[in-house]
Amino acid sequence: MTTPPVTISPEPDDEPKAVAERYARRAARHATQGEARSAASDLYSPLRPEVLLARHERQRVMLALLARFAPKPLDQLRVLEVGFGSGSNLLELASLGFDASWLVGNELLPERAAAARRQLPAATALHEGDALALPFGDGSFDLVYQSTVFSSLLDNAFQQRLADAMWRWLKPGGAVLWYDFTYNNPRNPDVRGVPLSRIQALFPQGRIEARRVTLAPPISRRVCRISPAAYGLFNALPFLRTHVLCWIAKPAFEPFAAKPGVVTTNAQVDALRDAEGL
């Protein structure tokens, strides 16, 4: 599959500006074409059965990963979402038992941040602007969450800078929670898929548990027009799923240099991992 050309920005803030411009062009195009649609016809409206079914699947898989790997109870986890959009993911986390006062969000686009602020609890801190300018120290969060953000970043260098920042913000033993699509969209040159190999390159020190989810939207729309009950039948075929949901774990201890003359055996390393629950 052909990958769209990738631009490498000389300045760190070029890609956020480019993302904002791409969204502005899309909004202008929709307005020009008279595509101001009702919620019922919005392709991403939860009133559409395929959207609701995909959301339930993603939520189910995410909860299974949290049940298996979360280092603390949900209401004790400090979470940052990069690119929170409308705020729906943060609302979802709060509904699942996360403490709203321990949820933090960042959004590049001012209009989206303002809309989310009206919906989210006042206790949830929201930060508008470039994620790389966020004022967080190393090890500030148990989870850093991104949902379809990296597929909107066409600059490889900026992708890596953002991934590095997300990794720094994580506490040892924490994780990046990742949801994004892996295939290019031939109808949308403003996005590109992020395959698992790219995720591994972005987080080389991470231990990745990946689950393939989400029936390809063009297929799910057609299927659900016939019958929503058929969604599960098609989604049972893994090659029809276009997204991955990943738990990218940060080791609970950092690698260290051996002292001169000291030999560490594999058995000692394994014993240390067992003690750390790794």
Side-chain angles (χ1 to χ4, degrees):
M1 188 171 294
T2 302
T3 301
V6 178
T7 58
I8 305 299
S9 305
E11 297 296 333
D13 60 352
D14 279 357
E15 182 61 9
K17 290 179 181 177
V19 170
E21 289 170 358
R22 290 193 285 267
Y23 273 95
R25 283 199 307 270
R26 192 182 312 169
R29 184 169 63 248
H30 289 176
T32 301
Q33 296 172 353
E35 293 180 10
R37 295 164 294 189
S38 67
S41 63
D42 186 336
L43 290 178
Y44 303 103
S45 168
L47 297 178
R48 297 180 67 98
E50 70 274 13
V51 174
L52 189 61
L53 289 165
R55 181 178 296 182
H56 286 168
E57 177 200 12
R58 177 179 52 78
Q59 188 178 100
R60 184 174 64 253
V61 174
M62 181 176 68
L63 285 172
L65 289 171
L66 286 164
R68 182 178 177 186
F69 296 114
K72 303 174 187 175
L74 298 186
D75 62 356
Q76 296 178 25
L77 293 173
R78 184 164 172 80
V79 182
L80 167 66
E81 183 180 13
V82 176
F84 60 74
S86 66
S88 60
N89 289 330
L90 291 171
L91 282 172
E92 181 182 83
L93 293 179
S95 73
L96 294 175
F98 288 79
D99 187 330
S101 66
W102 286 58
L103 299 177
V104 180
N106 160 253
E107 172 56 39
L108 174 66
L109 304 178
E111 62 277 13
R112 289 190 169 196
R117 180 71 284 170
R118 292 191 293 269
Q119 297 188 65
L120 288 164
T124 299
L126 302 182
H127 298 260
E128 181 187 316
D130 183 354
L132 293 184
L134 290 172
F136 304 126
D138 296 356
S140 296
F141 297 94
D142 299 293
L143 293 179
V144 178
Y145 185 17
Q146 85 83 22
S147 177
T148 63
V149 169
F150 275 70
S151 51
S152 294
L153 302 174
L154 305 186
D155 182 333
N156 278 345
F158 186 86
Q159 277 192 347
Q160 189 62 66
R161 287 194 294 272
L162 180 56
D164 291 344
M166 292 166 64
W167 197 249
R168 288 196 308 272
W169 295 329
L170 279 178
K171 299 176 182 178
V176 171
L177 189 58
W178 174 288
Y179 175 74
D180 221 324
F181 53 87
T182 59
Y183 300 107
N184 294 332
N185 182 346
R187 296 183 178 181
N188 187 355
D190 291 339
V191 297
R192 60 172 173 151
V194 187
L196 189 57
S197 59
R198 177 60 178 161
I199 301 172
Q200 292 169 330
L202 289 168
F203 300 99
Q205 296 178 338
R207 298 186 176 191
I208 301 176
E209 287 281 338
R211 305 289 185 269
R212 187 163 289 281
V213 295
T214 309
L215 180 62
I219 297 174
S220 67
R221 291 174 196 133
R222 291 178 173 85
V223 166
C224 286
R225 276 201 295 268
I226 299 170
S227 172
Y231 181 99
L233 297 176
F234 284 82
N235 198 40
L237 302 173
F239 61 87
L240 294 181
R241 303 177 201 151
T242 52
H243 293 57
V244 290
L245 183 60
C246 298
W247 182 275
I248 309 171
K250 186 173 186 176
F253 63 93
E254 298 295 335
F256 55 90
K259 295 179 180 179
V262 176
V263 177
T264 302
T265 67
N266 288 337
Q268 290 172 317
V269 173
D270 290 341
L272 181 58
R273 290 187 185 279
D274 290 340
E276 293 283 346
L278 301 175

